[in-house]
Each structure stands twice: as C-alpha cells, then as structure tokens.
C-alpha cells in the first residue's frame, strides 16, 4: 500500500509543487486564489436622495415603489419611484392644529391611511387627489394597521385590522366606488373585535400582521410593548369577506397564546422578511425591551406560527435608557436597528454586528426606517434628508457563519457558485467529521477538496480506517478527468488491493458474513463500473496478478468475464475439471477461436455435449480446425465414442454441405474403421462424376484396400474409370458385380469386349461353368462363340455349345445378306449421281441485257460474270473481291497462285520468228492449261453464292464497318 501511495505522490508532484508555490505567497492551501476586488462593495450600500424638502418631514412610508411623505402641517407628497421626476402633491385641507401622527400604506401602494394626533384618520387612494375623512374612525388614535394581502385590491382594502393606542383592535373595510368617486363614505364598517392587555391593563397595539397558512387557516400576530399575541383560526372558504371576527371570538373567554418579556421600550416593532413578491413571510424580528426576538414562520404548525425562536440582545453600546432603538428592518440574514445617529446591522445567524453606519449631525436625528418589501430597498429619513440603502449580495459571507456553526449543508448551499469557498467548507466539514469519528463522511468530503492527497491518505492509514480510505479513493477516482490516466491507474490498482485485503479479513470471520457480502458486491460493482472499464482493461495484467496473489479465483473469473477474457475463464474451469461450466461459457459467447483451442480437452471428457455445442454453432465453426481434436480423441476412444465424431462429420457433410476434401477424407476413414456399411452408401451417394466428388479417390482406394472393403474398392475403380482393375477385383467378389463394371465403357466397344472376355475366361477357367459362360454370350452382343471357344478345354464336347454355334452361323448368314443389299443400294446410288452430273453439265440460264451485277449495280454484260442457281449474278471481279477476304488462308494463297499462273499464260511470246507449227503446238498446250486454271479458280471463287451460301451465315457476327476503319469512316460523315 505504501508503495502505491509513493507512486501516486510522484504522479502528483507537479500539481503539489504548484500548490506549495501558491502557499509560499499567501495563497490558501486549497489551491484556489481568493480573487477579491481592491474595494469590495458593502452589503448595505447607502445613497442619499437628491431631495430638499420645503418643510420638515413628519412621516414617510413606501410600498410597491410608491413613496408617500408628510411635509409640514398640511402637505402630502406622493412619488412613483419608477417616475421620480413626476411627484404629486396633495393638500390635507386641515385648518386646525392637527398634525400627522402616523401613516400606513398597503402592500399594493394604493391605499394610504393618515392618522392625526387629534384621533382622526384620513384616507387617500392612489388614483385620486382628494383626501377623505373616515368618520367611523373618529375618536381613535391609530397605532397600527394589519393589511389584508389576500383580498385587497386597488379600489378595496378588504377586511383589515386596526390597532389603537388604547389597546382596541378593530376590523374595518375601505372601498372606493367606481364611476361616482366618494359618492358614499369610503369606510364600509368599523367594529371592535378584541382588546389587547398587559398585566397593568389595556396596552397600545404596536403592530398587526395577517398571514394565511394551509387549508384556510389564518394567523394574526399582534404586539404590545411587552407582549406578542397570536390568534389562530380557520375561516371557511367563501366567507373571507365576513372578516376575522370569528377568529377573535374563539378567544373571548381566554387569552390567546403570547410571548412576554419584562423589559419595556415604551413601544415595540415587528419586521418580516418575504423572499419573493406575493409569497408569505419566512422570518420575523420583534424589537422589544430585552432585545430582538428572531425566528422563522412555520405555517404547518397547528397553534403557533413562530418557530426556531431566539433572542439576540442588543449590542453593548446600546443602552435602552439612553439611546434606545427606534425602528427595525429585517432582511434575509440581517436585521437593521435604527438609532438616533446610526444604523447597525446584526447577523441573524450569530448575533454579531456586521455593519454600522454613522450619520453626521448636520442631517439631524434619524426619525424612521422602513423597507419596501417588493424591491427590498431600505429607507431612512430625518426631518431634512432621505437616505436609501441597497442590499447587494447579502449572502456573500453567510457560508462562513454556517460553517462556524457546523451547519455545513447550508454553508455549501450559499457558496456553491464560489469553488474557493466551497473547498474551505468541505475541508472544515471533513475535519469535523474526522474529529467526531465519522470517518466515512469525512472521506467523502475530503475527496471533494483540493487538499494534498498524500496527507489525507496517510491520515486515514494512521487511524487504521481502511474502509474510509477506500471511500476516499473511490470518490477521488470518480472526480478524476479522463486525461489523468496515470492517477486513475494507480488509484484503481490501490483500490483493488484494499478490497482484496478487506475481503480476506472478512471472509475468515463468520460473524461478519453480511458485511463480507456487502463488500463483495461493492468490489464487483467497482470492477464492472463503465467509468473504470478502460483503465482496468489496459491494466488487466496487474489486476490478474493481484487477484492471483490473494488466491481469489472467484473474483479472477468474475473479472475475466467483465474483461471478456473468456479464454482465461474457460482455462480456469478446465484446470478445475469443471468441463460443463467451461462448455457453457463457450456456448454462451460463441467464440470460434476458443472452441478450436479448448475442444481437444473438452471432447476427452464430455464428447456428446461438445458435439452438440459444435452442431449448435453451425457454419460458424470450420470443421477442418476441429479435425485434430477428433483425431486425438478417436485414437484413444472406443467405438461408441467414435460415433460422436462420425455424427459431427455427417452433420458437416449432409447438413452444412461442406465440400472440403479433408472433411470428406476423415469421414471416409471413420466409416472404413467402424461403419463399413455406411462407407459404401456414402460412396454411392457421392456419385461417379470425379468433378463432383469431394474426397481424394486415391486416398479412399488405399484406405478401402487396407481394410479389405472390396465392394468399395470396385466402386472407386469405376469412378476412376479403371474398368479393367474394377472387373479384376469384382471377379474376386461377385461375377454379377463384374458384369455391371464391364458394361460401363459404352463408347469403347473394344474395351467392353475385352472386359467381357475377362469375365468369360473367369467363368470358364475358374468356375468351369459352361452354362454361365454361354450366359455371358447372351449378356454381351460383342462376344461370339469363336471368342469364347479358346477358353474351353479340349475334352469339352460340342453338345454344350452346339446351339451357340448354330446361332452364330445364322448371324453370319444374316450379316452376309445384309452386306449384299447394301452393295446393291450403293451401286444404284452411284448411277443416279452420274446421271445428275451429266444433267448439270447441260443446264443453262438466260440473262437479259438490262441485268445488273448484284454487288456493284453496273450492267452485267459489260464484263465476265457468274450466274448462280439462286438467281444472283456477279461480275467476276466483284465476286472475287467479296469472296477473297472470307477465304481460309491456304485457299487465299492457292487462289493467288492460280491467278499468277493464269496471267502468265496470257502474255504474248517474245519471239516473232518461230515456226508456225511450233506456235500452234505451243498455243494448243497453253489453251489447255488456261482452261484448267480457270476451272480451278471457278471452283474456289464460284463454289457458292456469296449472298445465299455458308459464307453469308458465317459473317453474320461481323460488324458492317471494320473496327480499324471506324474512325476514318466516322470522320467521312462529318
């Protein structure tokens, strides 16, 4: 194991060197570079609004990007933050000394309630310019409003809750009529539903919040200076417009659940965090005398919506008797406290102050802080100035806090897009798990970090946690890139070694049987993993050595199957005498080469099953490659076992129709050895045509002769057309067989006669059977009695073949008469031929003066011509031109010679003074020679009509244009 670790360290030398160089310049051990901006933007980024109010700001509210502020005594300024350059100013129209006490703006930014210090309340809708007094609300100083976020609209608030400074909770509804605005009172009703009390009596209702949970359940949160009440109840579906009276009525006889704290600020304020627009709040923060009560909201709880509550005390520099907080705002991970001269941001995860912003005295004392829940912007104002805070990347450092709290899942969630931070969290989690002896979890985390591999591996080795080390290596292996082949190879080999060690330990302990089975399954999964397949295949020799060194033959076979190394699997089964298993592997994977290699071994032990497997393979196996296995097997096997070899050879010959000579020769040898009857049937079925016979005739003849199969030898002699040898051998077996052989050379009567004479001699001299010899005469028409007589001994009487002699004499007489008749017919035929020749000499034809040559189409009588019986007429020279190219070469030469001789006889004599008699004699001899030459030329040229004779038939496949003159002819037509 140590050597493998050393090798892995060497393979990681370069990457480790890089990490060390980074560490030397202050880069974290993880290998990541903490790339931060020189001046990172703070989470809470303050911006002063460029606005100089003409009068002091009394109150400011904002919601849905709609901002409303009260200026001075009688002015109301409305600003759509989407169009900040178009402010809208509304006059309250009050002539008395009334001042704005508080303002309340609903979640849509449509409904504005203005509470006056004279216990009056005004209403202004976003779509109108005129403020209306709510007459039913008169006499009550409004401290808080709980808006209905589920039924409210731009023209109707739906049922809402209103809290007063006297502790009463009222239910009300405000509606703006469409078409005739303010034609009726906007306040539809105003009725008391409950009174909040503390130990000293009714207390101001500081805050009201309405939330709806599951299955129509409503949660109402109400706070006083020291208490936080919860009202829970269901409103039947379809009756929501009837209000919340039924919920409060449930607590008419007893107090609802509440939380109380002893300290008192003189007021309290609760803030909620809503992650998405129009969704329910997820957390709350209640600012009261003892600190800030923070928790989450769980809508699935039956009686209380508050969950995971904790109290964060105020920072040490806040003294509630001197500089108590004024307002509170809640974000996802922080709550902001407004003090008279500063803002503090406290993390809700650990209660630490993470941000503080001090305001200059020239701006005046801070008055109020509010948050627009729709755009997550925070607003702060004094009497002179308005500020706005943008919350940017609030969760950037949350992972650190969760990590320090050991909430690693949450920490990883908030740094999943920042790998350098994620690596730190994983390393911390891994170390935490290791310290708590959760080694497997630690290994999984370590495998995902960039920490030095060798340090982690040695850490688990020193702790003797091989299972955790295996888990670490497995995870590390799964994270390697395909290009990191060296690391993959080393990890794979190391894991194999660890698995084998662990299996060896567990196998010897019966009490760990279940763990052994689980580990074995994991090891097999590791070996068969597609991701590891290439690496295992390339290093299979090393894996085999490891498996062999541990003596784990079971997994060696399993690994060989995965690697498709079936040769090793079959060899293993054969070495352990598991021949049926070996054959099953061969049959399942149908590898021809493996069949050839292992068949010699398998057929010695399970011949029938092996032959069945061969047959099932069909034509995929080449039977020639199996013959060596069969030969070795048949030489040492019994007749019954040889039958299996014959069965496969017969399958190849008759089913697969193999034509290989080696296969047929081997089948012949098996037949000659064990099945003589089948031998002759096979030979006869193969036929007598040597070109269609697939066995070696000479080999077959020698084989049959060695085993004394004479019938088979006779058949082979017949196929080889060695009829004399066939007859000679057949006479040793059966005369009838010899007779069948003697009739085979049908085209050679002399040979047939010779063969029959052999048979007759054998019958006469060997068997001395005169009757059978006479029967030979009747069987062969070529034999005569005189051919057979020399074979008989001298003492044989004529009585035995008297009849044969008489029959022979009668045949001679008939033959003589037949010859006489044929001679007479020949004489008559010759006579008729002479008459026809004479008649032909006297035959003539007439030619009209206008007749033309059939070849050149010129008048026929202008030159010497030929007239044929078919009616065609040709000039001599035209016929000669047409016939000459088609004559054989020897006739062309002869014709040229005759023409030369004819030309020589037509030349005039050079001597003009020869005697007259000499000239006459010479002329007569020349004339006679000339006529003969002409006759010979006519025999060649005018033997037949060039259009009607064989010449035209033979030239039917010749092209009309000579191929050699085709180009010339084609050019002539252009």
């Amino acid at each position: 194991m140590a050597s493998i670790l050393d090798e892995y360290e060497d393979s990681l030398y370069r990457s480790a060197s890089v990490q060390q160089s980074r560490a030397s310049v202050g880069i974290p051990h993880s290998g990541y570079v903490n790339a931060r901006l020189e001046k990172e933007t703070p989470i809470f980024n303050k911006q002063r609004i460029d606005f100089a109010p003409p009068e002091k700001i009394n109150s400011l509210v904002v919601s849905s990007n709609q901002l409303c502020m009260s200026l001075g005594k009688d002015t109301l300024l409305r600003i759509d933050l989407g169009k900040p350059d178009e402010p809208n100013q509304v006059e309250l129209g009050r002539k008395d000394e009334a001042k704005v006490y508080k303002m309340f703006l609903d979640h849509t930014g449509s409904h504005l309630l203005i509470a006056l210090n004279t216990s009056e309340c005004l209403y202004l809708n976003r779509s109108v310019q005129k403020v209306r007094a709510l007459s039913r609300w008169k006499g009550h100083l409004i401290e808080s409003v709980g808006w209905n976020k589920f039924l409210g609209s731009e023209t109707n608030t739906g049922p809402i809750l209103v809290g007063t400074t006297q502790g009463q909770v009222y239910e009300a509804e405000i509606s703006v009529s469409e078409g005739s605005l303010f034609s009726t009172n906007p306040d539809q009703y105003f009725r008391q539903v409950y009174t909040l009390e503390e130990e000293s009596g009714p207390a101001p209702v500081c805050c009201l919040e309405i939330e709806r949970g599951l299955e129509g359940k409503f949660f109402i949160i109400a706070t006083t200076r020291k208490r936080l009440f919860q009202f829970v109840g269901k409103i039947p579906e379809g009756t929501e417009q009837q209000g919340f009276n039924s919920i409060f009525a449930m607590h008419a006889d007893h107090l609802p659940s509440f939380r109380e704290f002893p300290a008192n600020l003189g007021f309290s304020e609760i803030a909620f965090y809503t992650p998405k627009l129009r969704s329910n709040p997820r957390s709350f923060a209640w600012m009261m005398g003892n600190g800030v009560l923070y928790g989450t909201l769980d809508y699935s709880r039956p009686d209380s919506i508050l969950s995971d509550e904790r109290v964060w005390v105020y920072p040490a520099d806040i003294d509630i008797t001197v500089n108590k907080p004024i307002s509170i705002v809640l974000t996802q991970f922080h709550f902001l406290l407004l003090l008279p001269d500063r803002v503090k941001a406290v993390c809700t995860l650990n209660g630490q102050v993470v941000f503080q912003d001090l305001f200059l005295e020239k701006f005046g004392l801070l008055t109020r802080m509010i948050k627009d829940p729709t755009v997550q912007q925070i607003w702060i104002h004094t009497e002179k100035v308005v500020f706005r805070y943008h919350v940017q990347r609030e969760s950037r450092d949350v992972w650190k806090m969760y990590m320090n709290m050991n909430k690693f899942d949450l920490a990883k969630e908030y740094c999943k897009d920042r790998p350098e931070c994620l690596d730190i969290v994983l390393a911390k989690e891994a170390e935490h798990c290791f310290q708590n002896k959760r080694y497997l979890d630690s290994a999984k985390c370590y495998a995902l970090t960039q920490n030095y591999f060798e340090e982690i591996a040695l850490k688990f080795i020193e702790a003797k946690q091989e299972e955790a080390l295996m888990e670490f290596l497995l995870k590390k292996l799964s994270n390697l890139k395909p290009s990191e082949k060296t690391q993959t190879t080393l990890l794979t080999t190391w894991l194999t070694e660890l698995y084998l060690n662990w299996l060896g330990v567990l196998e010897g302990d019966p009490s760990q049987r279940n763990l052994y089975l689980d580990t074995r399954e994991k090891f097999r999964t590791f070996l068969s993993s597609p991701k590891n397949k290439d690496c295992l295949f390339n290093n299979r020799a090393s894996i085999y050595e490891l498996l062999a060194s541990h003596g784990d033959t079971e997994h060696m076979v399993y690994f060989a199957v995965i690697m498709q190394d079936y040769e090793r699997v079959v060899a293993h089964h054969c070495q352990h005498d598991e021949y049926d298993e070996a054959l099953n592997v061969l049959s399942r994977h149908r590898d021809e080469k493996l069949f050839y290699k292992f068949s010699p071994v398998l057929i010695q032990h399970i011949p029938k099953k092996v032959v069945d497997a061969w047959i099932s393979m069909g034509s995929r196996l080449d039977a020639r490659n199996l013959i060596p296995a069969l030969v070795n097997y048949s030489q040492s096997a019994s007749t019954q076992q040889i039958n299996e070899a014959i069965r496969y050879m017969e399958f190849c010959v008759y089913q697969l129709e193999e034509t290989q000579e080696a296969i047929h020769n081997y089948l012949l040898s098996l037949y000659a050895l064990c099945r003589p009857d089948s031998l002759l049937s096979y030979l006869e079925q193969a036929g007598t045509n040597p070109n269609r016979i697939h066995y070696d005739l000479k080999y077959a003849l020698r084989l049959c002769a060695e085993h004394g199969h004479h019938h088979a030898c006779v058949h082979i002699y017949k196929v080889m057309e060695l009829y004399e040898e066939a007859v000679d051998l057949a006479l040793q077996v059966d005369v009838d067989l010899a007779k069948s052989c003697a009739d085979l050379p049908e085209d050679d009567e002399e040979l047939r006669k010779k063969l029959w004479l052999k048979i007759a001699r054998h019958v006469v001299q060997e068997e001395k059977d005169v009757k059978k010899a006479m029967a030979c005469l009747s069987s062969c028409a070529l034999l005569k009695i005189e051919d057979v007589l020399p074979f008989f001994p001298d003492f044989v009487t004529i009585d035995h073949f008297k009849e044969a002699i008489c029959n022979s004499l009668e045949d001679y007489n008939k033959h003589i008469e037949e010859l006489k008749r044929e001679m007479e017919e020949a004489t008559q035929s010759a006579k008729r031929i002479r008459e026809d020749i004479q008649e032909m000499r006297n035959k003539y034809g007439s030619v009209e003066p206008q007749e033309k040559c059939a070849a050149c189409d010129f008048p026929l009588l202008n030159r010497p011509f030929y007239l044929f019986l078919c009616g065609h007429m040709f000039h001599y020279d035209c016929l000669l031109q047409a016939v000459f190219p088609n004559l054989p070469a020897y006739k062309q030469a002869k014709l040229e010679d005759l023409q030369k001789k004819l030309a020589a006889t037509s030349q005039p004599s050079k001597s003009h003074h020869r005697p007259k008699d000499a000239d006459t004699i010479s002329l007569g001899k020349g004339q006679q020679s000339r006529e003969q030459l002409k006759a010979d030329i006519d025999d060649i040229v005018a033997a037949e009509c060039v259009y009607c004779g064989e010449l035209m038939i033979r030239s039917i496949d010749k092209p009309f244009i000579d191929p050699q003159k085709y180009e010339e002819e084609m050019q002539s037509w252009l």
Side-chain angles (χ1 to χ4, degrees):
M1 183 183 300
S3 62
I4 295 176
L5 179 57
D6 293 339
E7 292 179 8
Y8 191 87
E9 289 176 2
D10 292 339
S11 70
L12 297 178
Y13 174 76
R14 181 175 299 177
S15 61
S17 300
V18 173
Q19 290 180 344
Q20 290 173 359
S21 64
R22 287 175 176 174
S24 65
V25 293
I27 296 176
H29 182 67
S30 64
Y32 288 105
V33 179
N34 284 330
R36 294 180 178 271
L37 299 177
E38 293 182 359
K39 186 176 181 181
E40 191 173 28
T41 305
I43 296 175
F44 303 100
N45 187 22
K46 181 174 69 174
Q47 176 188 6
R48 178 182 176 182
I49 304 301
D50 186 14
F51 172 70
E55 299 179 77
K56 70 176 184 178
I57 303 173
N58 298 320
S59 180
L60 183 146
V61 290
V62 60
S63 181
S64 294
N65 240 9
Q66 301 293 319
L67 184 146
C68 300
M69 66 175 68
S70 170
L71 301 176
K73 175 183 175 183
D74 197 47
T75 304
L76 189 67
L77 188 64
R78 295 188 297 184
I79 301 175
D80 184 349
L81 296 178
K83 303 174 183 179
D85 297 333
E86 302 177 7
N88 176 250
Q89 183 172 324
V90 178
E91 300 296 331
L92 296 181
R94 304 289 297 191
K95 297 182 180 180
D96 53 13
E97 296 299 324
K99 296 181 180 179
V100 174
Y101 174 66
K102 279 188 177 182
M103 293 197 302
F104 309 94
L105 185 63
D106 79 322
H107 62 287
T108 65
S110 301
H111 307 281
L112 178 64
L113 291 173
I114 307 165
L116 304 178
N117 60 357
T118 56
S119 299
E120 294 178 86
C121 191
L122 306 178
Y123 171 75
L124 179 64
N125 189 276
R126 183 170 64 178
S127 60
V128 298
Q129 287 289 106
K130 187 176 181 181
V131 177
R132 293 297 303 264
L134 302 177
S135 59
R136 293 186 175 92
W137 296 42
K138 191 172 182 179
H140 302 284
L141 184 59
I142 307 302
E143 184 68 28
S144 59
V145 174
W147 297 102
N148 193 328
K149 295 177 286 187
F150 314 104
L151 296 177
S153 64
E154 292 184 359
T155 59
N156 188 286
T157 62
I160 60 175
L161 295 176
V162 180
T164 67
T165 55
Q166 301 301 317
Q168 295 95 357
V169 178
Y170 289 88
E171 182 181 87
E173 183 176 358
I174 300 173
S175 178
V176 179
S177 300
E178 296 181 5
S180 55
L181 194 60
F182 295 124
S183 59
T184 58
N185 290 332
D187 48 336
Q188 303 297 311
Y189 61 88
F190 189 79
R191 56 175 177 260
Q192 183 177 353
V193 292
Y194 202 80
T195 300
L196 296 183
E197 296 183 354
E198 294 180 351
E199 68 277 3
S200 59
V205 183
C206 298
C207 298
L208 284 170
E209 181 73 16
I210 304 171
E211 298 296 339
R212 183 169 63 182
L214 304 175
E215 300 176 355
K217 184 181 292 186
F218 280 82
F219 298 88
I220 299 173
I221 297 176
T223 65
T224 61
R225 293 166 295 189
K226 299 168 57 177
R227 289 183 178 181
L228 186 151
F229 296 88
Q230 292 185 76
F231 299 88
V232 182
K234 283 187 177 182
I235 297 179
E237 186 176 357
T239 63
E240 291 87 348
Q241 289 289 354
Q242 297 179 9
F244 306 102
N245 187 50
S246 59
I247 297 177
F248 288 101
M250 296 169 59
H251 304 280
D253 300 330
H254 61 277
L255 287 175
S257 62
F258 65 89
R259 296 290 307 276
E260 184 175 12
F261 293 89
N264 185 358
L265 291 174
F267 64 93
S268 72
E269 185 174 347
I270 191 168
F272 296 91
Y273 169 70
T274 304
K276 294 181 180 180
L277 183 65
R278 298 183 183 276
S279 63
N280 292 328
R282 291 290 180 264
S283 57
F284 74 96
W286 180 39
M287 183 184 71
M288 42 76 182
N290 291 79
V292 176
L293 177 66
Y294 173 79
T296 59
L297 302 178
D298 186 355
Y299 296 91
S300 61
R301 299 181 66 182
D303 300 324
S304 175
I305 193 175
L306 307 182
S307 177
D308 298 331
E309 302 172 47
R310 69 179 69 179
V311 176
W312 295 115
V313 297
Y314 294 120
D317 59 345
I318 296 180
D319 184 357
I320 61 174
T321 61
V322 179
N323 58 340
K324 55 186 176 183
I326 302 171
S327 292
I328 187 171
V329 163
L330 181 63
T331 63
Q332 186 176 5
F333 297 105
H334 303 84
F335 59 82
L336 280 74
L337 296 175
L338 180 68
L339 300 170
D341 60 346
R342 71 193 64 191
V343 172
K344 287 181 177 289
V346 180
C347 178
T348 58
L349 300 178
N350 55 16
Q352 300 296 318
V353 176
V354 297
F355 173 78
Q356 178 172 281
D357 192 6
L358 186 65
F359 288 77
L360 300 177
E361 292 183 4
K362 66 178 182 178
F363 298 136
L365 297 177
L366 302 179
T367 306
R368 185 100 194 281
M369 177 173 61
I370 56 175
K371 185 182 76 170
D372 186 346
T374 58
V375 294
Q376 303 296 327
Q377 291 180 349
I378 300 170
W379 297 79
I380 297 176
H381 73 91
T382 66
E383 292 182 348
K384 304 176 182 179
V385 186
V386 177
F387 297 94
R388 177 171 59 187
Y389 282 94
H390 292 277
V391 182
Q392 297 179 338
R393 296 177 57 235
E394 183 182 3
S395 61
R396 67 182 71 172
D397 294 325
V398 169
W399 62 273
K400 291 181 183 178
M401 301 172 192
Y402 278 129
M403 180 182 68
N404 295 329
M405 297 165 62
N406 294 333
K407 294 183 178 182
F408 300 107
D409 291 337
L410 290 172
K412 287 183 285 188
E413 180 68 24
Y414 285 101
C415 63
K416 58 185 178 181
D417 296 330
R418 301 169 67 185
E420 71 282 359
C421 303
L422 180 62
D423 188 73
I424 297 174
V425 174
L426 288 170
K428 182 70 179 292
E429 182 181 8
E431 184 64 28
H432 175 77
C433 294
F434 193 91
Q435 295 297 332
N436 288 275
K437 297 184 179 181
R438 292 163 48 201
Y439 296 110
L440 287 177
D441 294 334
S442 176
K444 293 176 182 178
C445 293
Y446 269 132
L448 299 175
T449 67
Q450 297 295 318
N451 289 18
Y452 294 141
F453 172 86
E454 61 275 13
E455 290 182 2
I456 301 169
L458 289 173
K459 195 170 187 177
F460 286 115
I461 293 173
E462 291 172 357
K464 297 181 180 180
Q465 295 296 323
E466 287 196 1
E467 188 177 2
L469 176 60
M470 290 163 58
E471 185 66 28
F472 169 69
L473 296 178
L474 283 171
K475 291 293 183 181
K476 206 70 178 177
L477 178 62
S478 65
N479 294 331
L480 289 178
K481 299 177 182 178
S483 59
E484 298 174 316
K485 295 183 179 180
T486 303
Q487 292 89 332
T488 302
T489 300
L490 292 173
L491 285 181
T492 302
T493 308
W494 192 3
L495 279 167
T496 303
E497 174 74 18
L498 290 174
Y499 269 120
L500 291 174
N501 288 336
W502 187 237
L503 287 172
V505 172
L506 295 177
E507 189 175 14
D509 189 353
S511 62
Q512 300 289 337
R513 180 63 180 172
N514 292 332
L515 181 57
Y516 168 77
L517 294 176
D518 292 340
T519 306
R520 185 182 69 174
E521 187 63 29
K522 290 180 180 179
F523 181 44
R524 292 185 173 183
T525 302
F526 167 74
L527 292 177
S528 59
S529 172
K531 187 174 182 179
N532 303 332
K533 184 176 181 180
D534 290 340
C535 178
L536 291 171
F537 181 81
N538 294 331
N539 300 279
R540 59 189 182 278
S542 301
I543 303 299
Y544 281 132
E545 290 178 3
L546 283 175
L547 293 168
S549 66
H550 286 266
D552 195 341
T553 56
E554 178 184 2
H555 284 105
M556 181 181 291
V557 173
Y558 181 82
F559 180 69
V561 172
I562 293 174
M563 294 293 103
Q564 298 182 356
D565 189 1
Y566 302 117
E567 180 177 351
R568 188 181 294 269
V569 177
V570 176
H572 169 80
H573 288 311
C574 290
Q575 290 171 3
H576 292 79
D577 297 335
E578 298 170 353
Y579 302 110
D580 289 332
E581 290 295 328
L583 184 60
N584 289 337
V585 174
L586 290 176
S587 301
R588 185 163 56 250
H589 299 288
R590 305 174 73 84
D591 190 330
E592 299 87 347
K593 295 181 180 179
L594 295 182
F595 266 103
Y596 299 146
K597 182 172 183 177
F598 292 100
S599 289
V601 177
L602 296 177
I603 200 169
Q604 299 289 337
H605 302 278
I606 47 174
K608 185 178 184 305
K609 293 182 179 179
V610 171
V611 172
D612 290 339
W614 289 352
I615 292 175
S616 67
M617 288 288 288
S619 59
R620 294 183 61 178
L621 290 179
D622 188 348
R624 292 178 301 174
N625 296 328
L626 298 174
I627 289 178
L630 292 172
V631 170
N632 293 334
Y633 170 67
S634 60
Q635 288 176 352
S636 60
S638 64
T639 302
Q640 182 179 1
Q641 293 170 324
I642 293 177
N643 289 335
E644 294 299 328
I646 294 176
R647 179 162 70 95
Y648 181 65
M649 289 291 103
E650 287 179 339
F651 168 77
C652 294
V653 171
Y654 298 120
Q655 300 296 325
L656 301 182
E657 298 180 353
E658 287 283 354
T659 60
Q660 297 293 332
E661 187 177 273
I663 297 173
H664 288 263
N665 287 345
Y666 184 60
L667 180 58
L668 266 175
S669 67
L670 295 175
Y671 279 151
L673 183 63
C674 296
R675 292 187 187 177
D677 297 337
S678 300
L679 172 62
L680 187 59
S681 300
Y682 166 77
L683 293 174
E684 291 175 349
Q685 186 174 353
T688 58
N689 187 347
N691 297 324
R692 296 184 179 180
I693 289 177
H694 305 301
Y695 57 86
D696 188 339
L697 290 170
K698 294 181 181 180
Y699 172 76
L701 181 61
R702 183 175 69 254
L703 192 66
C704 295
E706 289 176 358
H707 291 84
H709 302 311
H710 296 305
H711 277 83
C713 289
V714 171
H715 179 82
I716 296 171
Y717 276 133
K718 291 191 295 184
V719 175
M720 298 173 70
E721 297 183 356
L722 300 175
Y723 301 115
E724 292 189 40
E725 289 82 352
V727 171
D728 290 340
L729 184 59
L731 289 175
Q732 300 176 20
V733 180
D734 184 10
V735 175
D736 291 336
L737 179 59
K739 290 179 179 180
S740 65
C741 296
D743 284 332
L744 290 177
E746 298 177 354
D747 298 334
D748 193 345
E749 293 185 355
E750 183 178 353
L751 179 58
R752 285 175 58 201
K753 183 176 181 180
K754 183 178 179 180
L755 297 177
W756 277 102
L757 285 174
K758 283 178 177 286
I759 296 172
R761 176 180 293 177
H762 175 80
V763 172
V764 173
Q765 294 179 354
E766 301 295 332
E767 299 184 6
K768 298 180 181 180
D769 190 340
V770 178
K771 291 183 179 180
K772 189 178 288 187
M774 294 300 102
C776 289
L777 294 176
S778 62
S779 298
C780 180
L782 300 177
L783 288 184
K784 304 297 180 183
I785 186 62
E786 60 269 26
D787 298 325
V788 181
L789 284 177
F791 303 147
F792 288 94
D794 295 338
F795 59 84
V796 177
T797 61
I798 198 172
D799 294 338
H800 292 89
F801 40 85
K802 178 180 178 181
E803 184 179 354
I805 293 174
C806 293
N807 291 336
S808 178
L809 292 174
E810 289 179 1
D811 290 340
Y812 278 124
N813 287 334
K814 290 180 181 178
H815 185 58
I816 291 170
E817 292 297 329
E818 202 171 304
L819 289 175
K820 287 180 180 180
R821 188 170 59 256
E822 289 178 359
M823 290 173 63
E824 290 177 358
E825 290 177 356
T827 302
Q828 294 295 327
S829 178
K831 183 179 178 181
R832 285 196 297 272
I833 290 172
R834 285 193 296 272
E835 292 174 354
D836 290 343
I837 291 172
Q838 187 63 34
E839 185 178 355
M840 287 296 295
R841 288 177 179 176
N842 299 327
K843 195 169 184 180
Y844 65 93
S846 60
V847 178
E848 298 295 331
Q850 65 274 13
E851 292 292 346
K852 295 182 179 180
C853 174
C856 65
D857 204 29
F858 281 93
L860 185 67
L861 300 179
N862 290 349
R863 299 196 300 272
F865 63 89
Y866 289 99
L867 172 63
F868 292 96
L869 294 177
C870 60
H872 287 116
M873 294 168 282
F874 300 91
H875 290 128
Y876 166 76
D877 54 342
C878 293
L879 182 62
L880 179 62
Q881 185 178 1
V883 171
F884 185 81
N886 297 288
L887 290 175
Y890 75 93
K891 283 192 176 183
Q892 290 181 355
K894 184 177 180 181
L895 183 58
E896 290 177 351
D897 184 59
L898 291 173
Q899 287 178 331
K900 290 179 180 179
K901 290 181 179 180
L902 181 62
T905 58
S906 62
Q907 291 180 357
S909 178
K910 296 183 180 179
S911 176
H912 300 283
H913 305 286
R914 285 183 297 176
K916 180 179 180 183
D917 294 340
D919 293 340
T920 303
I921 294 171
S922 178
L923 181 60
K925 292 181 179 179
Q927 183 67 28
Q928 183 181 2
S929 178
R930 183 181 179 84
E931 291 297 330
Q932 184 63 40
L933 291 173
K934 286 185 176 182
D936 292 341
I937 291 175
D938 291 342
D939 290 340
I940 296 174
V941 176
E944 60 181 357
C945 177
V946 72
Y947 285 172
C948 302
E950 294 184 4
L951 181 62
M952 181 59 67
I953 296 173
R954 288 197 303 269
S955 64
I956 193 170
D957 59 342
K958 292 184 178 180
F960 291 106
I961 301 175
D962 188 350
Q964 298 180 353
K965 300 180 179 180
Y966 179 80
E967 291 294 334
E968 180 182 351
E969 185 69 21
M970 185 177 66
Q971 292 296 331
S972 67
W973 282 79
L974 297 178

